[in-house]
Amino acid sequence: MSTLKPEVSSVDHIQGPSTASIEIVEYGDYQCSHCAHAYPIIKEIQETFGDQIKLVFRNFPLQESHEYAYAAATAAEAAGLQGKFWEMHDALYENQYRFADDLFEELAETIGLDIEQFKTDCESESINKKIEDDFESGIRSGVNGTPSFYVNGNKFDGGPEDLFEMLKESAK
Amino acid sequence: MLEKGEIAPNFELNATPDQKINLKDFKGKNVVLAFYPADWSPVCSDQMALYNEMLKYFNKYDAQIIGISVDSVWCHLAFEQDRKLHFPLLADFEPKGEVSKAYGVYDDTVGESKRALFVIDKEGKIAWSYLSPTAVNPGADGILDALENLNKS
């Protein structure tokens, strides 16, 4: 069984309490339709299990298949520098159907980012490196497509519905 | 299935309708052979898409990734163009499955290659091999680990 490498740390985007008993790491691509499908299900998992869940998102943009995957990942990371990673993450999945060159700035405005700063950050080498590091960690962890989920460090072989079912079963 | 330490059987197969690839051509380079059941099928498509995103990592380890299935060159060509693949897919088409058989990874109940990975070193020896369940995309962590071990030794 493949395991998460490296473990979750402060460089990751984390939602939920650090003490949560269930840690879900998603490797995702903002332009991937399966990831967009998973998005509301993950939200439902978070709502159902509340403080028991810690959610982590790592970038795994499939650039050859998805024209805007990398730009979208950049936008989310740049939003993260202004403390609004999850707002952008959500906005990207909710607007995936209308991805285009000028959409990312529009979303940045919608969620209230400093636009000039956002544009500068989108070009920065540190964001590029963060995305590359996430991608490489995904390969090392055995990501074989998107989304790939890890529960408490172990690769979960199944989709988001299976994940929800598994959590419901184990909560019984 | 052939295992670590064995000599990788040589072969020559078509990569395109008018271009053949011979394993010997890659002497001095590491080679990753990915046998897979069928172009266009969902798991194979994801697997090849993953390798396509990873070419710079293979380059880093001086490795050439090659896909092999029993599909014909024309089928491969259409699949490669549709998915924008930047590495060769070889047609183990005639005699059908001959190379897959030589590597011990031909499934004669369905007439397709099994889903199997081989890392071949610069001298043409198998350094690592892995047979995945047909329905499971094996990812690439095993391949990178094997390539990394080659670099160490």
Side-chain angles (χ1 to χ4, degrees), chain A residues 142-145, chain B residues 43 46-48 50-51 115 132-140:
Chain A
V143 168
N144 51 8
Chain B
V43 178
D46 284 355
Q47 189 184 356
M48 295 306 129
L50 179 70
Y51 298 157
R115 198 178 303 284
S132 177
T134 297
V136 178
N137 174 352

Side-chain angles (χ1 to χ4, degrees), chain A residues 94-146:
Chain A
E94 284 160 19
N95 291 279
Q96 189 192 71
Y97 66 97
R98 57 191 197 99
F99 270 15
D101 288 326
D102 52 3
L103 177 70
F104 305 111
E105 241 178 86
E106 179 198 318
L107 295 179
E109 273 178 32
T110 309
I111 63 172
L113 298 183
D114 174 334
I115 295 297
E116 286 313 310
Q117 188 63 45
F118 173 77
K119 282 201 264 188
T120 309
D121 290 339
C122 280
E123 303 289 323
S124 81
E125 184 43 41
S126 67
I127 282 182
N128 185 36
K129 183 173 182 307
K130 168 77 166 69
I131 298 170
E132 298 277 320
D133 286 352
D134 275 2
F135 188 87
E136 185 162 357
S137 86
I139 293 170
R140 299 279 176 189
S141 303
V143 168
N144 51 8
T146 52

